[in-house]
């Protein structure tokens, strides 16, 4: 079953004219059409998020799915249906997400997973663990350990500013928390061969051995038993919202899970029914396109590529107005021909940030028909994003070292 469910497809299978290679560290895709998400989902054996699943989500949770979910930014999953089963039965599960500390200024693309995770935490009142992979960045980048440490501390403040519930959220930095989860890291390492690691992640003879061992460290937090003093239960299901490029880590995790030792304290009957650890469930999101359109990368070194969380309303407006447009260049042409809304960046962003379905639909139809001009759509987008960024800035300004300490201290979370 595990085989069918999680094929260890090499990450570099060819597609289209350009080879599509997606790893947790690099995204290479056709520059015209962008990433072929359907192919990824198929090759990697994940499931589509269907309207039926979304309807069930709403029935079970009593919450309208977040726009990022109902409009397809989160497009694929593993076992979300099982998480809903378990929630319906009144069983607890926990959320797990993370960030690789970096010096890059946070942009909208970084905000998305945290905004979404914060929403999930609220909907399910679920405990959350957030991993800061300072070790990963140390191994992959030209960074010293003290530098990686400092970045992790800074990034921690940004994460706190997303408004997570401190009584239910534990944030940890790998280099400091490792002792608590090292046993699980070892149990995972023992069950993943070098050839699985190279086939899944594309390591080669030149990769330092820290990299080869790292996947076990990102895998370990998927198991509640890695948090004996934080979650305080032997076994609990886990849901991981993440970008699709992180899936290779969790495919390996899911292959290993049933072969892990059954955590101490799991009642005998349950252990017999299901030995080992639970496979983590996943919710995958796409990469959000840069303001400059498909193929562009959001990057601190290209200021117009993205809205940054430090931007002023004026800067936001200016950047949004320059975004890649699916509309016609000349007003007369736009009136006559309308816009290609699937190519239009402002429309893509509105789909993720504008909650009002009716308004969105009306903007899309009128823009496609030429009743609306590109500038008008962009104007609306600036109005929608600005308050989101400003709210973040207010919270970020109020984050103190004590607050970070509170999130990072090892303590039992509320369940
Ligand atoms: N490797 C991720 C990054 O570079 C960080 C990360 C660790 C993560 N654990 C995670 C992301 C779990 C999503 C889910 O950003």
């Amino acid at each position: 079953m595990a085989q069918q469910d999680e094929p260890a497809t090499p990450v570099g299978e060819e597609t289209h004219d350009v080879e599509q290679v997606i790893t947790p560290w690099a995204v290479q895709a056709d520059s015209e059409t962008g990433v072929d998400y359907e192919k990824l989902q198929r090759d990697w054996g994940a499931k589509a998020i269907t309207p039926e699943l979304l309807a069930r989500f709403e029935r079970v949770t009593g919450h309208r799915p977040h726009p990022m979910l109902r409009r397809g930014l989160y497009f694929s999953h593993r076992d979300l249906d099982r998480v809903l089963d378990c929630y319906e039965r009144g069983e607890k599960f926990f959320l797990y997400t993370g960030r690789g500390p970096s010096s890059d200024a946070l942009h909208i693309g970084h905000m998305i997973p945290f905004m979404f995770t914060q929403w999930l935490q609220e909907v399910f009142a679920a405990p959350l663990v957030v991993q800061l992979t300072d070790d990963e960045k140390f191994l992959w980048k030209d960074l010293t350990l003290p530098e990686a440490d400092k970045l992790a501390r800074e990034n921690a403040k940004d994460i706190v500013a997303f408004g997570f519930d401190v009584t239910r959220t534990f944030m940890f930095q790998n280099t400091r928390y490792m002792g608590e989860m090292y046993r699980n890291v070892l149990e995972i390492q023992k069950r993943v061969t070098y050839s699985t690691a190279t086939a899944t992640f594309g390591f080669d003879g030149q990769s330092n051995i820290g990299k080869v061992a790292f996947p076990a460290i990102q895998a370990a937090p998927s198991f509640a038993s890695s948090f004996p003093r934080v979650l305080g239960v032997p076994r609990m299901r886990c849901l991981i919202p993440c970008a699709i490029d992180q899936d290779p880590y969790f495919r390996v995790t899911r292959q290993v899970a049933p072969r892990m030792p059954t955590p101490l304290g799991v009642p005998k009957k349950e252990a017999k029914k299901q030995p080992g650890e639970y496979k983590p469930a996943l919710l995958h999101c796409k990469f959000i396109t840069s303001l400059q359109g498909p193929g562009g990368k959001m990057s601190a070194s290209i200021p117009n590529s993205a809205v940054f969380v430090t931007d002023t309303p004026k800067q936001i407006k200016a950047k949004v107005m320059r975004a890649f447009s699916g509309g016609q260049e000349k007003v007369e042409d736009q009136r006559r021909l309308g816009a290609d809304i699937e190519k239009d960046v402002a429309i893509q962003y509105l789909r993720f940030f504008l909650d009002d379905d009716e308004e969105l639909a009306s903007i899309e139809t009128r823009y496609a028909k030429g009743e609306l001009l590109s500038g008008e759509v962009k104007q609306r987008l600036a109005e929608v994003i600005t308050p989101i960024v400003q709210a973040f800035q207010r919270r970020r300004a109020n984050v103190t070292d004590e607050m970070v300490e509170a999130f990072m201290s090892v303590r039992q979370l509320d369940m």
Side-chain angles (χ1 to χ4, degrees):
M1 216 173 75
Q3 265 80 2
Q4 250 185 344
D5 198 17
E6 270 85 42
T9 314
V11 206
E13 295 277 285
E14 41 76 51
T15 74
H16 297 154
D17 37 344
V18 174
E19 196 185 10
Q20 170 164 297
V21 185
I22 313 283
T23 70
W25 313 287
V27 174
Q28 177 192 308
D30 192 298
S31 60
E32 277 287 297
T33 53
V35 177
D36 183 345
Y37 290 105
E38 272 171 29
K39 176 170 169 41
L40 262 189
Q41 182 200 306
R42 259 196 330 273
D43 288 354
W44 290 1
K47 296 218 170 78
I49 294 176
T50 59
E52 294 72 44
L53 184 58
L54 289 178
R56 171 138 196 259
F57 184 103
E58 184 158 352
R59 266 200 319 278
V60 171
T61 64
H63 284 260
R64 186 95 211 276
H66 193 282
M68 294 174 190
L69 199 48
R70 50 179 213 267
R71 310 230 182 93
L73 181 61
Y74 283 81
F75 72 109
S76 133
H77 77 100
R78 298 182 191 275
D79 286 348
L80 180 61
D81 38 352
R82 280 207 178 164
V83 170
L84 293 176
D85 292 344
C86 132
Y87 183 74
E88 211 169 19
R89 287 194 301 263
E91 283 169 34
K92 294 283 169 196
F93 71 92
F94 73 106
L95 296 161
Y96 161 37
T97 191
R99 171 159 162 83
S102 89
S103 57
D104 300 349
L106 271 196
H107 54 58
I108 286 264
H110 298 117
M111 288 182 84
I112 280 175
F114 289 106
M115 286 172 67
F116 185 70
T117 304
Q118 192 273 326
W119 176 82
L120 283 175
Q121 177 175 58
E122 229 170 73
V123 166
F124 291 104
L128 162 70
V129 297
V130 183
Q131 178 178 54
L132 294 166
T133 55
D134 54 342
D135 49 354
E136 179 189 20
K137 295 299 144 177
F138 168 71
L139 290 166
W140 264 270
K141 305 265 167 177
D142 184 20
L143 270 183
T144 65
L145 274 175
E147 283 163 354
D149 190 67
K150 220 177 131 207
L151 290 179
R153 290 270 143 181
E154 278 307 303
N155 283 203
K157 287 191 176 167
D158 292 327
I159 294 171
V160 167
F162 284 96
F164 294 108
D165 173 357
V166 68
T167 68
R168 290 200 166 89
T169 306
F170 174 56
M171 186 160 49
F172 62 100
Q173 196 181 327
N174 281 343
T175 54
R176 292 171 186 269
Y177 183 71
M178 186 55 75
E180 298 270 321
M181 60 176 186
Y182 190 47
R183 286 159 178 275
N184 271 346
V185 168
L186 285 170
E187 297 283 5
I188 298 162
Q189 285 175 343
K190 199 167 182 174
R191 289 167 175 81
V192 181
T193 64
Y194 180 67
S195 54
T196 296
T198 47
T200 313
F201 297 97
F203 298 127
D204 61 36
Q206 293 312 302
S207 307
N208 68 55
I209 61 174
K211 289 187 183 180
V212 181
F214 178 76
I217 302 169
Q218 183 154 331
S222 314
F223 305 136
S225 55
S226 297
F227 304 96
R229 293 194 286 154
V230 173
L231 297 175
V233 292
R235 204 163 62 168
M236 179 165 41
R237 286 193 189 276
C238 174
L239 172 63
I240 309 173
C242 64
I244 185 76
D245 65 333
Q246 300 296 306
D247 186 68
Y249 284 119
F250 303 118
R251 275 205 314 276
V252 172
T253 311
R254 286 170 55 93
Q255 285 169 357
V256 163
R259 294 184 281 123
M260 288 286 283
T262 307
L264 243 104
V266 172
K268 270 223 175 77
K269 240 170 93 187
E270 275 176 47
K272 218 171 150 209
K273 218 165 65 188
Q274 187 169 357
E277 293 278 6
Y278 295 134
K279 292 180 176 189
L282 288 143
L283 256 173
H284 300 123
C285 70
K286 300 179 180 176
F287 312 114
I288 183 166
T289 46
S290 112
L291 286 176
Q292 289 155 329
K297 188 177 160 21
M298 287 195 265
S299 156
S301 50
I302 320 169
N304 281 334
S305 63
V307 170
F308 290 90
V309 297
T310 45
D311 285 345
T312 63
K314 242 174 117 178
Q315 286 171 314
I316 296 175
K317 175 101 188 277
K319 287 181 184 184
V320 166
M321 295 313 281
R322 264 183 238 126
F324 183 84
S325 172
Q328 312 296 330
E329 256 172 60
K330 294 205 185 110
V331 175
E332 312 89 81
D333 291 345
Q334 170 64 13
R335 293 285 182 223
R336 199 160 46 86
L337 302 167
D340 180 346
I341 58 169
E342 293 316 315
K343 284 217 175 107
D344 192 88
V345 169
I347 291 288
Q348 310 311 311
Y349 278 48
L350 279 172
R351 286 180 182 165
F352 308 138
F353 293 102
L354 179 62
D355 198 30
D356 185 332
D357 289 334
E358 269 175 46
E359 187 188 351
L360 180 72
S362 144
I363 292 174
E364 289 191 1
T365 6
R366 287 187 295 145
Y367 187 35
K369 279 199 260 177
E371 288 171 25
L372 281 181
L373 300 177
S374 180
E376 294 168 309
V377 176
K378 288 172 173 175
Q379 169 71 33
R380 184 66 187 121
L381 176 63
E383 284 166 16
V384 169
I385 319 189
T386 302
I388 297 175
V389 172
Q390 284 179 314
F392 177 86
Q393 288 170 353
R394 271 193 304 274
R395 286 191 307 261
R396 179 65 174 81
N398 289 322
V399 175
T400 60
D401 290 331
E402 289 70 38
M403 284 161 80
V404 174
E405 219 36 68
F407 276 93
M408 298 187 82
S409 75
V410 174
R411 79 228 115 96
Q412 173 66 46
L413 297 180
D414 285 354
M415 289 289 161

